[in-house]
Amino acid sequence: MRSTLSATLLLSVFAIQPALADPAVGTRTITVHSSARERDLSVTLWYPSEGTGQKVSVGENRIFEGLEALKNSAIPRDHLPLVLLSHGSGSRAIGMAWIATALAEAGFIVAAPDHPGTTSGDSTPADTPKIWERTDDISTIITSLTTNAEWSGAVDATRIGVLGFSLGGSAAIELAGARANLDAYVKYCVDYASSMDCQWFAGGRGYKNDERIVVPKFDLRSIDKARFEQSNRDPRIGSAVLVDPGLEVAFTKDSLQAIDIPLSFINLGSVGQIPVAVLADQLAKDVSNATYRQVDDSNHFSFLPVCKHDADQFLKSVGEVDPICVPTARDRADIHKELVGLIIGAFEKTLKTTH
């Protein structure tokens, strides 16, 4: 399912904060070259800090609250477990700062790329189904962090996990070994043409260079079938957490049954209110070592950062069609608190084993 964030939503990565008590999390942004994309990836990292660095608010902008961290804090040398984050379509790495900060506070190194072609201000229907690009981004970053001199001393290459939300969840489950079937996905968009993701393909709009653009209606049958259905498994990944994973109707049962690492599926919403596009209960049944939880009184957009008090009105005024900041029955900060417990609990169980 798509989370459509227009260019107005993500205006800056870091905002300098006034002097308060030092946060316990360091952050920095690096570039990692992708040979597959023939360009550099922007990667934001969070990690436990000893208190050095410049205090910033990561992800704060006109719409969202930010999370405090220390920019360019010293890199730890403790061989800590690594968690890769894959953001939802139309978002950015900094949109996951709230969970990245919590993971770093719990002792994990966290790395999150901006996936070109599916970020805020740079997103088109034609780029959205190219899951193989997202999986390659994650694998490329793992290779970089576990082999270069600056980070290899900080990362424990035997304890690597991935957390994916929405389209990022699709990438995460493919990294775990799932394979998609194009015919199944085409049929889904015939049967559920009014769903948010299928409307995105048919909607004739996209974003380039932070501007809304008109694009042709996208025919899912034009996807490179071989690439869409290829295996993107990365055996270095030891566990995965998948929140509202997209493309869930497309994954083949035999590939799900062959997954041999622990997976934790989380759906946002109460029973009967979760869209078919991301409903993951059957996926959890098909994977032998999987758990499944629902977060009641939430919705797909609850995974985005906490909205500022007037954000909903502002978004409506600029023509945003998705209910990004529409209040739910529960406060978003309360929903995040439950999600933090579920996600950190899963990674504590699967990645914190002493070697």
Side-chain angles (χ1 to χ4, degrees):
M1 175 171 285
R2 175 171 171 76
S3 303
T4 308
L5 302 184
S6 63
T8 58
L9 303 188
L10 293 166
L11 308 177
S12 63
V13 176
F14 300 122
I16 306 302
Q17 292 294 293
L20 297 171
D22 287 339
V25 172
T27 189
R28 61 181 62 198
T29 298
I30 64 172
T31 58
V32 173
H33 185 71
S34 166
S35 57
R37 291 189 185 266
E38 299 182 334
R39 60 174 292 177
D40 288 342
L41 301 172
S42 176
V43 182
T44 304
L45 294 115
W46 293 261
Y47 46 89
S49 170
E50 295 181 354
T52 60
Q54 182 182 27
K55 192 176 300 182
V56 294
S57 180
V58 183
E60 182 176 3
N61 56 44
R62 176 64 181 82
I63 307 301
F64 298 124
E65 301 287 351
L67 274 295
E68 286 191 348
L70 293 168
K71 186 178 180 181
N72 296 329
S73 184
I75 298 171
R77 293 295 173 211
D78 299 325
H79 282 90
L80 299 173
L82 171 67
V83 175
L84 285 300
L85 306 187
S86 185
H87 63 73
S89 177
S91 187
R92 288 188 183 274
I94 57 172
M96 301 178 80
W98 64 271
I99 186 60
T101 300
L103 283 163
E105 289 173 340
F108 297 88
I109 293 175
V110 181
D114 286 341
H115 294 292
T118 55
T119 65
S120 175
D122 174 25
S123 183
T124 67
D127 285 323
T128 302
K130 296 177 181 178
I131 302 300
W132 62 90
E133 294 184 340
R134 280 178 165 249
T135 56
D136 188 80
D137 291 345
I138 297 297
S139 292
T140 297
I141 294 164
I142 292 174
T143 298
S144 177
L145 294 180
T146 56
T147 59
N148 72 44
E150 188 173 31
W151 287 96
S152 60
V155 171
D156 185 341
T158 68
R159 296 186 291 166
I160 299 176
V162 59
L163 164 63
F165 165 61
S166 196
L167 191 62
S170 310
I173 195 171
E174 291 216 358
L175 287 160
R179 299 179 69 165
N181 179 276
L182 181 57
D183 291 338
Y185 196 54
V186 170
K187 183 179 186 302
Y188 157 73
C189 270
V190 171
D191 295 342
Y192 295 91
S194 62
S195 65
M196 190 178 299
D197 46 346
C198 300
Q199 283 291 304
W200 168 243
F201 296 130
R205 62 188 172 97
Y207 298 92
K208 283 293 183 184
N209 300 317
D210 293 334
E211 296 289 341
R212 184 166 173 169
I213 59 173
V214 176
V215 298
K217 178 180 178 180
F218 181 68
D219 184 354
L220 288 172
R221 295 176 183 84
S222 69
I223 296 172
D224 186 323
K225 182 178 175 68
R227 286 191 169 185
F228 187 80
E229 297 184 346
Q230 73 185 22
S231 172
N232 296 304
R233 182 176 181 270
D234 190 325
R236 297 170 296 182
I237 292 173
S239 73
V241 177
L242 311 104
V243 182
D244 274 8
L247 303 185
E248 69 87 17
V249 297
F251 298 117
T252 65
K253 190 175 291 289
D254 60 338
S255 69
L256 294 169
Q257 292 172 339
I259 292 174
D260 59 1
I261 64 172
L263 303 187
S264 299
F265 293 93
I266 301 172
N267 270 144
L268 298 167
S270 303
V271 174
Q273 298 180 353
I274 300 166
V276 172
V278 297
L279 182 59
D281 55 346
Q282 186 59 51
L283 294 179
K285 294 174 183 176
D286 290 335
V287 176
S288 61
N289 189 9
T291 61
Y292 178 74
R293 295 289 298 270
Q294 290 178 327
V295 178
D296 290 335
D297 298 321
S298 63
N299 65 26
H300 189 65
F301 297 97
S302 299
F303 202 79
L304 298 180
V306 171
C307 297
K308 292 185 174 178
H309 75 279
D310 63 343
D312 184 38
Q313 291 78 12
F314 173 76
L315 289 171
K316 290 175 181 176
S317 74
V318 297
E320 179 57 55
V321 297
D322 288 333
I324 292 167
C325 290
V326 174
T328 58
R330 289 173 65 186
D331 183 76
R332 188 170 291 184
D334 183 54
I335 295 169
H336 283 185
K337 183 178 179 180
E338 181 175 350
L339 285 166
V340 165
L342 292 173
I343 293 167
I344 291 180
F347 285 130
E348 290 274 4
K349 183 177 179 181
T350 58
L351 297 182
K352 282 294 190 74
T353 304
T354 302
H355 290 269

